[in-house]
Amino acid sequence: MNRVWLITGANSGFGRAITEAAVAAGDVAVATARRVAALDDLVAAHPGQVEALPLDVTDTAAVDATVKDIIDRHGRIDVLVNNAGRSHVGAAEETTDAELRDLFEVHVFGPAALIRAVLPQMRSRRSGAIIQLSSMGGQLSFAGFGAYSATKFALEGMSEALADEVRPLGIKVLIVEPGAFRTELFGNISASAPMSDYADTVGKTRHMVEVNAGLQPGDPAKAAAAMLTAIDAPNPPLRLPLGGDAVDALLSHLDSTREEIRTWGAVARDTRLPD
């Protein structure tokens, strides 16, 4: 039986690539986006296999209605892909409360609403998969990406607990941590008003985003293929970094964290109450 996919942010980048990969596997892809016109060609090329639906993941009522509609028509949702997102650059002090909250709505509260909506039917069938598009910035961060990483750290923490909760119910959870891929992420970016004191730190990040937009080395189609390989594996990983830059950066970060804990281990351990 072919799977039914629900993919958010499917109009471009990873979302579109995952839609195409699902279709190539013979599955049905319900591709959602706030602007679905970009999916007209896929719908026309694959009638009956690709459906395009408008969805703003920050609208909880729309999330519930969309999931219900898909289940009513297809009987189930086999794979949920929480992909919708954007980026943001700004120092912690520069980032406003509204900017931070808006980013959490898209990257954390939206996925949480979709998970709550799809899980009842996945639990009843003891089957399903949830793919969470995070970033290598979900485990590490640097100047200017604090707000973005805060949302991805939160998504990963929620997903790690979720995986522990639903694994006994036959449901897989995959956290995907891409590095630099040729998507529109750097073109779909907001920025806080800059402060001169952060020109040498956050300013470098702003410049990096500007000069690398459209030049990222990663291939979204290969990333989508890797995701399908992972969720189809008998024992899929919890986390899947994608791209050599992500693999190297995360391994280096883990090594640095381990070394820091070892260095400060004695101080850290000497904190218990006396016997």
Side-chain angles (χ1 to χ4, degrees):
M1 185 179 296
N2 294 341
R3 290 175 293 194
V4 177
W5 293 63
L6 169 55
I7 305 161
T8 69
N11 53 304
S12 65
F14 290 126
R16 185 180 178 93
I18 295 167
T19 300
E20 292 172 334
V23 168
D27 295 338
V28 172
V30 181
T32 72
R34 287 186 299 168
R35 295 175 294 276
V36 296
L39 288 162
D40 287 349
D41 59 326
L42 281 180
V43 174
H46 305 281
Q49 259 192 291
V50 178
E51 296 179 9
L53 296 179
L55 179 63
D56 179 347
V57 300
T58 67
D59 184 341
T60 303
V63 164
D64 290 340
T66 298
V67 169
K68 182 179 184 303
D69 172 60
I70 296 168
I71 294 172
D72 285 347
R73 290 185 295 106
H74 293 281
R76 67 198 188 282
I77 293 171
D78 297 294
V79 186
L80 166 66
V81 182
N82 275 315
N83 168 71
R86 58 181 179 82
S87 195
H88 182 85
V89 175
E93 186 180 357
E94 295 169 346
T95 304
T96 67
D97 186 68
E99 289 170 336
L100 186 59
R101 287 180 184 275
D102 285 349
L103 211 58
F104 267 90
E105 288 289 346
V106 176
H107 291 165
V108 181
F109 291 104
L114 279 151
I115 289 166
R116 289 194 302 270
V118 303
L119 272 180
Q121 53 88 34
M122 287 186 177
R123 284 191 292 106
S124 68
R125 293 185 297 107
R126 292 298 194 262
S127 176
I130 297 171
I131 300 176
Q132 306 279 66
L133 262 294
S134 180
S135 163
M136 71 178 192
Q139 287 201 61
L140 57 86
S141 196
F142 50 89
F145 274 161
Y148 177 81
S149 286
T151 64
K152 295 302 186 180
F153 270 60
L155 180 70
E156 294 210 12
M158 178 174 68
S159 301
E160 188 166 329
L162 174 68
D164 206 31
E165 293 158 1
V166 301
R167 189 178 299 111
L169 306 177
I171 301 167
K172 301 176 181 180
V173 176
L174 176 68
I175 303 168
V176 182
E177 300 171 327
F181 277 76
R182 194 76 57 87
T183 70
E184 295 180 10
L185 184 67
F186 283 174
N188 185 22
I189 191 167
S190 56
S192 301
M195 300 170 66
S196 60
D197 279 347
Y198 299 111
D200 290 338
T201 52
V202 179
K204 292 178 181 178
T205 301
R206 294 177 192 271
H207 179 70
M208 179 273 292
V209 169
E210 291 171 1
V211 300
N212 284 289
L215 300 176
Q216 302 96 319
D219 181 351
K222 290 182 179 179
M227 293 179 217
L228 264 69
T229 297
I231 65 164
D232 287 338
N235 295 299
L238 173 61
R239 287 179 168 85
L240 179 68
L242 292 177
D245 56 339
V247 172
D248 292 342
L250 289 171
L251 287 174
S252 177
H253 179 68
L254 290 170
D255 288 343
S256 175
T257 300
R258 180 183 294 274
E259 183 59 32
E260 191 171 73
I261 292 172
R262 282 176 172 163
T263 300
W264 287 89
V267 174
R269 291 178 185 278
D270 190 23
T271 52
R272 62 177 292 167
L273 289 165
D275 295 331

